[in-house]
Amino acid sequence: MTTSTRTIAELDAGQTIQAYEVMRELRPHLTDPDEFVELVRAQRREGYRLVVSYEADRVVSLAGFRHLNSLYAGSHLYIDDLSTLPDARGKGHAGALLRWVDEEARRLGCVGVHLDSGTPRHDAHRLYLASGFVIPAFHFAKSL
């Protein structure tokens, strides 16, 4: 998908490194680019995919997602990661990626798209709500 200011494309395994800078905005604990590529390689074996938004030839936004099946949600795409570089925010990149993921979910016969979002990410929440997401539950986690 291409507009006058952006191109949306899925990255293959050899292109993963292109997403590193954008992923660091969301996951600052990922401090080693080679480790990032290895982690994504492992996730790809579990169905993880990366789609990005380019501004010119620079990746400025990304969505990482998986196709899952569950008893509570049926067949759905789960967005693990959605991130945009600060200087590219407000230009529609994340919204375009969400629309791309919606279309991919439809293509795959999914009944929905799911994601979790950290509680202080109010700008992201506004985008999700404006994009048709609802808040049907709380997410609980326990560290071991």
Side-chain angles (χ1 to χ4, degrees), residues 109-128:
C110 295
V111 296
V113 177
H114 292 247
L115 59 81
D116 288 321
S117 182
T119 53
R121 298 180 51 88
H122 302 292
D123 290 340
H125 302 164
R126 279 190 284 281
L127 171 64
Y128 304 149

Side-chain angles (χ1 to χ4, degrees), residues 59 62 78 88 92 94 107 127 132 144:
V59 173
L62 66 79
Y78 181 82
R107 187 186 73 77
L127 171 64
L144 301 176

Side-chain angles (χ1 to χ4, degrees), residues 19 85 93 102:
L85 292 175
H93 292 284
D102 286 351

Side-chain angles (χ1 to χ4, degrees), residues 76-91:
H76 64 283
L77 292 187
Y78 181 82
I79 299 172
D80 292 275
D81 309 296
L82 184 66
S83 181
T84 302
L85 292 175
D87 65 339
R89 291 181 185 150
K91 297 180 180 179

Side-chain angles (χ1 to χ4, degrees), residues 63-80:
F65 64 96
R66 298 173 281 156
H67 184 192
L68 301 176
N69 288 284
S70 66
L71 294 175
Y72 80 91
S75 174
H76 64 283
L77 292 187
Y78 181 82
I79 299 172
D80 292 275

Side-chain angles (χ1 to χ4, degrees), residues 38-50 64-69 76-78 80:
E38 280 304 311
L39 289 169
V40 171
R41 182 175 289 127
Q43 286 183 221
R44 284 182 185 275
R45 288 191 295 268
E46 299 170 354
Y48 184 82
R49 297 166 59 188
L50 269 171
F65 64 96
R66 298 173 281 156
H67 184 192
L68 301 176
N69 288 284
H76 64 283
L77 292 187
Y78 181 82
D80 292 275

